Amino acid sequence: MDSARVQSSVRPAGGGAELGRSALLSLSAAPGTHSWIPAPRGAAQCSAQDSKFSLIFTLASFANNFVTFPTGYIFDRLGTTVARLIAIFLYTGATLLVAISSAGTAPMLFAAFPMLAVGGILFLLTNLQVGNLFGKHRSTIITLYNGAFDSSSAIFLIIKLLYERGLPLRVSFFILCAFSIFHLFRTFFLMPRGHIPYPVPSNYTYGISCSMGANGSQGTKGERVRKEEEELRQEANSSSPALQETAGAEQNGPLSFRSCILSWRFFWHLVWMSVMQLWHYLFIGTLNPMLNHLSNGNQDQVSSFTNAFAITQLFGVLCAPWNGFMLDRLKKKYQQEARRKGFPESMADLHCTFPSLALTSLLCLAFSICASIPILKLQYFTFILQVISRSFLFGGNAAFITLAFPSQHFGKIYGTVMMLSAVVTILQFPIFILIKGPLQGNPLYVNIVLILFTLLSFVHPFLVSRVWYRQGKHV
């Protein structure tokens, strides 16, 4: 198990590249690429072209979230291999569509980038379970994978820099398409066919040895997979403390999916996620027009700041694990305190998420305030806050769901949160039209309203912490 665990931990999460929209947009007006509306050389970026790419980004980010529920159901129901094969099909198809597209067939991008987004989220879902192999470092690994997912948006920075040095975009996307071979190899030789349980049995193995019998001979694959899934699910359900909690009270059996999504905990987590995610998607989607507005159309400055933003995205993989590290340390601390006070351990699992939730809300508030100040040089600091806040947001979201809800519903609950929050992210396109039209490129008033909505995210950590203190009064 150890060697397989190390192999899986170093693989970056696939997908997330649709978040490199700002770098891709700066390429769109280049001769022979994907421009719908040609712009004269040296002219400012065409406003209509900005709108087209913002719509593509909106569709991709919406698909990234909205389709997560059916993909989560597929993962929970059919296992890792089926989910990853679907992801590989979508990833390969998306990169091929971009590679073969031209100015005449540019509308294919409306299909390509949503496909890339959905394939990426499927890769992420199947990778998050690797955290189960690391025991007390589980949250750290989960947030590390989310950080890798976010950092993968820097792929478009690399593509942009290579294009500026003479490598055609078509070649870059054909190279990305060829990586499907690696994904196929990992799917069949380094990943389980079903799921990785939590906690992990001492004799648990997966990957290339999964289909081997106890004596080293090849077993009946379908029969072995079904038996393994049933045994591991029973062991995980009976051992995981989070399965026994609902509304702060212990139950006799694991919670149903319906009771999970109808709980106040799920509702406020959805609000927490939706409000801050809207901020991040809106910021990325309007980055190019904002930089044009603040630089008075200076394309050299726009390109420089776009590169700086893309570079900061690389550091998401370094920022995200600190959130998981904090969760793992606090979980150990609160479990010891829970044993002293006679609390159920599930209370400790839930309460350790409070500092993470509150800190993430605070980081997003700071980021949103900086993004609202119309000073160009300040945006360097805004980029730093954005990548830290985003890394904490998505890593903390996955970690909270693993700690607060039953593991057998992880894919469905994670997908439901992302799907419902996608409804909120649809607002980014009408907001973009509002900024470009009546507000004449000045997003200040929109930002002030969104800052007020961001304050709602503090309700969630407050309610989570209250469960711990209310339990103390009952004991």
Side-chain angles (χ1 to χ4, degrees):
M1 182 181 73
D2 290 340
S3 61
R5 182 173 71 177
V6 173
Q7 287 173 325
S8 292
S9 67
V10 298
R11 310 297 182 188
E18 77 283 351
L19 300 179
R21 176 260 184 192
S22 57
L24 184 65
L25 179 56
S26 65
L27 293 173
S28 63
T33 55
H34 310 294
S35 179
W36 283 275
I37 303 175
R41 292 185 181 182
Q45 185 73 43
C46 181
S47 176
Q49 187 170 287
D50 271 3
S51 297
K52 290 284 188 180
F53 270 86
S54 291
L55 178 57
I56 288 177
F57 177 80
T58 300
L59 291 174
S61 57
F62 176 77
N64 183 67
N65 290 351
F66 192 80
V67 186
T68 309
F69 174 73
T71 56
Y73 180 83
I74 289 171
F75 172 61
D76 283 347
R77 182 75 175 177
L78 302 178
T80 301
T81 299
V82 173
R84 288 184 65 86
L85 288 176
I86 296 173
I88 292 168
F89 170 78
L90 292 171
Y91 168 83
T92 306
T95 50
L96 275 177
L97 283 176
V98 178
I100 65 176
S101 65
S102 62
T105 59
M108 288 195 302
L109 299 181
F110 281 99
F113 283 94
M115 287 172 63
L116 187 62
V118 176
I121 204 68
L122 259 174
F123 278 128
L124 178 63
L125 275 172
T126 59
N127 285 335
L128 289 178
Q129 61 181 329
V130 174
N132 294 346
L133 298 172
F134 288 79
K136 62 181 181 180
H137 302 298
R138 182 189 186 196
S139 296
T140 303
I141 300 303
I142 289 173
T143 53
L144 176 64
Y145 268 106
N146 276 276
F149 183 84
D150 288 339
S151 293
S152 64
S153 60
I155 288 173
F156 280 140
L157 171 63
I158 298 172
I159 293 176
K160 176 178 181 290
L161 295 176
L162 290 174
Y163 176 81
E164 291 171 350
R165 284 157 179 78
L167 185 69
L169 288 178
R170 189 181 305 273
V171 174
S172 294
F173 279 95
F174 275 129
I175 292 172
L176 288 177
C177 183
F179 275 101
S180 297
I181 298 172
F182 165 75
H183 293 308
L184 282 170
F185 174 82
R186 187 183 173 213
T187 298
F188 288 112
F189 296 104
L190 296 177
M191 295 294 287
R193 290 185 174 85
H195 301 92
I196 300 175
Y198 184 79
V200 180
S202 58
N203 61 343
Y204 179 71
T205 60
Y206 69 95
I208 195 169
S209 62
C210 278
S211 60
M212 304 298 293
N215 59 357
S217 61
Q218 187 77 20
T220 305
K221 183 168 63 176
E223 187 177 311
R224 283 185 54 80
V225 170
R226 286 192 297 271
K227 183 178 179 181
E228 178 189 86
E229 282 294 294
E230 183 63 27
E231 291 176 352
L232 295 178
R233 186 178 294 112
Q234 289 175 359
E235 181 171 348
N237 289 350
S238 63
S239 303
S240 178
L243 301 181
Q244 308 302 319
E245 183 188 330
T246 179
E250 296 293 318
Q251 302 295 316
N252 293 326
L255 300 177
S256 67
F257 171 67
R258 183 174 183 273
S259 63
C260 288
I261 62 172
L262 293 179
S263 65
W264 64 263
R265 185 180 305 162
F266 176 86
F267 172 77
W268 282 109
H269 185 68
L270 177 63
V271 172
W272 178 86
M273 182 70 187
S274 301
V275 169
M276 290 188 283
Q277 183 176 245
L278 175 62
W279 247 119
H280 286 283
Y281 278 151
L282 183 64
F283 179 77
I284 298 171
T286 60
L287 179 62
N288 238 71
M290 181 194 73
L291 292 177
N292 272 289
H293 174 74
L294 295 180
S295 65
N296 296 317
N298 187 321
Q299 291 304 296
D300 290 335
Q301 284 188 317
V302 170
S303 179
S304 175
F305 275 84
T306 298
N307 288 346
F309 174 75
I311 289 171
T312 59
Q313 303 308 296
L314 286 168
F315 294 93
V317 69
L318 301 178
C319 300
W322 289 104
N323 191 14
F325 179 75
M326 177 175 64
L327 283 166
D328 288 329
R329 293 296 297 270
L330 289 173
K331 180 180 177 180
K332 181 179 178 181
K333 172 187 173 183
Y334 287 126
Q335 281 181 342
Q336 293 173 348
E337 188 174 342
R339 284 191 287 269
R340 288 198 304 268
K341 293 183 176 181
F343 291 5
E345 285 195 4
S346 54
M347 285 288 179
D349 291 350
L350 181 65
H351 188 60
C352 75
T353 64
F354 157 67
S356 170
L357 297 172
L359 179 58
T360 303
S361 297
L362 190 62
L363 284 169
C364 186
L365 181 62
F367 151 66
S368 59
I369 291 173
C370 286
S372 304
I373 300 175
I375 299 175
L376 186 61
K377 295 294 184 182
L378 183 63
Q379 300 314 307
Y380 284 122
F381 184 61
T382 303
F383 296 162
I384 295 172
L385 285 176
Q386 188 271 341
V387 72
I388 297 174
S389 172
R390 179 179 169 80
S391 299
F392 271 56
L393 174 64
F394 288 95
N397 170 51
F400 177 83
I401 292 173
T402 61
L403 291 168
F405 297 102
S407 59
Q408 72 265 34
H409 300 314
F410 171 77
K412 296 186 289 292
I413 293 176
Y414 183 89
T416 304
V417 169
M418 300 303 287
M419 180 182 70
L420 294 179
S421 64
V423 177
V424 179
T425 63
I426 296 176
L427 293 173
Q428 64 181 297
F429 193 67
I431 290 175
F432 176 80
I433 295 175
L434 177 65
I435 293 172
K436 294 288 290 183
L439 298 181
Q440 299 179 346
N442 185 2
L444 179 62
Y445 298 110
V446 171
N447 290 345
I448 291 173
V449 173
L450 290 176
I451 288 172
L452 295 177
F453 276 107
T454 305
L455 297 176
L456 283 174
S457 65
F458 287 93
V459 176
H460 184 36
F462 168 75
L463 293 177
V464 167
S465 67
R466 195 176 67 165
V467 172
W468 176 270
Y469 294 110
R470 287 178 64 184
Q471 180 70 16
K473 294 179 180 179
H474 296 326
V475 174

